Each structure stands twice: as structure tokens, then as C-alpha cells.
Amino acid sequence: MPNVISPADAPENARFAIIVAEWNKSITQKLLDGALATFAERGVADDAVDVAWVPGAWEIPVVTQRLADTCRYAGILTLGAVIKGDTVHDHWINAGVTDGLMRIGIEHSLPVLFGVLTCETLEQAIQRAGGNVGNKGAECAEAALHMAGLLAALPTR
């Protein structure tokens, strides 16, 4: 029988950061609301969560890097909404943001949760920001708590 490492609760003094894109704010505000509600439901104090607004999804990685460098956080949530337009602009934004965030997470051994919606239509984004597909911001908060607890339970040497 294998030894299964189960996540502990997130450390009591754990801090979380949420970086939110202002572009498509009607969507991203709902993602933020879902994340904050989930943290509150799980007992994370308001003052243990820092929120930084950036102009758009493209700016999320540089702020994530700066916050990760502080070593203050048990997890960083990144929330945005990139909706396909008439060009392939969304493809390049999505690829750059995804690659940047993955690199930061690995570099810092830090959960960097990807809550940047990459949708074909505004309707898809609405459904993922509290509609019939759920709230991806809330899901990111749950994943951040899970990962903070798992990393706390993992051996260090």
C-alpha cells in the first residue's frame, strides 16, 4: 500500500494574494467576489488577503513575480478574462500569461492559481464567473487552500 500524503489545513497564519485584471471588470469582479467569499467561508481573515488590481491579463505575471519574491504568501490567485476578438490577440495574451505564471510558480515552489478565463465568447465568461459553470475565482481559492495545505504536509528533505 503506498503512503498517501494528504493535505493538512492551510497554515493558520497563511496569507494569500489575489491579482485581478481590470479589463472585463464586469467578469473579473465576480471572480474576485467568489474567491473572497470562499476564503471567508474557510476561515481566512480579510486581513490575510491582499488584492492588487492590474490593467489587464498581460500585466498579471509581473505583479505575481513581485509578490512571489516577497515570500509572504502561501498562494497567489490570478484572475482575469481574455475573450476572443476578431484577431489572434487573445492567443498571444493567453500563451504569454500562462507561461509566465507557470514559471513563477515552479521557480518559487508556490501555488500560483490560474483563474484567467480564456473564452471564445462573453457568454462563456459570464457562465464561468458565477453562472451555470460555477465561479472560477471560488475554485481558485479552494485550490489555493488545498495546495497550501499539501505543501505544508510534504517532506522538505
Side-chain angles (χ1 to χ4, degrees), residues 5-146:
I5 302 172
S6 298
D9 289 333
E12 190 173 312
N13 61 346
R15 295 191 62 76
F16 296 91
I18 306 174
I19 303 164
V20 192
E22 289 188 31
W23 194 262
N24 292 313
K25 192 171 185 177
S26 64
I27 301 298
T28 61
Q29 181 67 57
K30 291 177 183 175
L31 296 172
L32 175 60
D33 293 345
L36 292 173
T38 298
F39 279 145
E41 289 166 9
R42 296 285 303 276
V44 177
D46 282 346
D47 64 355
V49 180
D50 296 330
V51 177
W53 287 89
V54 296
W58 187 252
E59 292 77 27
I60 290 172
V62 71
V63 175
T64 302
Q65 179 73 49
R66 176 70 63 93
L67 294 177
D69 286 346
T70 70
C71 299
R72 283 184 75 178
Y73 300 101
I76 299 176
L77 285 67
T78 62
L79 306 176
V82 181
I83 301 169
K84 182 158 181 54
D86 295 331
T87 68
V88 295
H89 175 259
D90 63 303
H91 171 79
W92 297 108
I93 296 292
N94 293 337
V97 171
T98 302
D99 291 346
L101 294 176
M102 178 60 73
R103 180 188 50 75
I104 294 163
I106 291 169
E107 193 175 281
H108 289 277
S109 293
L110 175 70
V112 175
L113 292 300
F114 189 79
V116 179
L117 304 180
T118 58
C119 298
E120 296 286 322
T121 66
L122 177 60
E123 181 60 28
Q124 287 177 344
I126 291 168
Q127 294 310 316
R128 286 160 177 75
N132 65 12
V133 182
N135 186 304
K136 299 306 176 187
E139 291 175 18
C140 277
E142 285 290 344
L145 291 164
H146 180 101

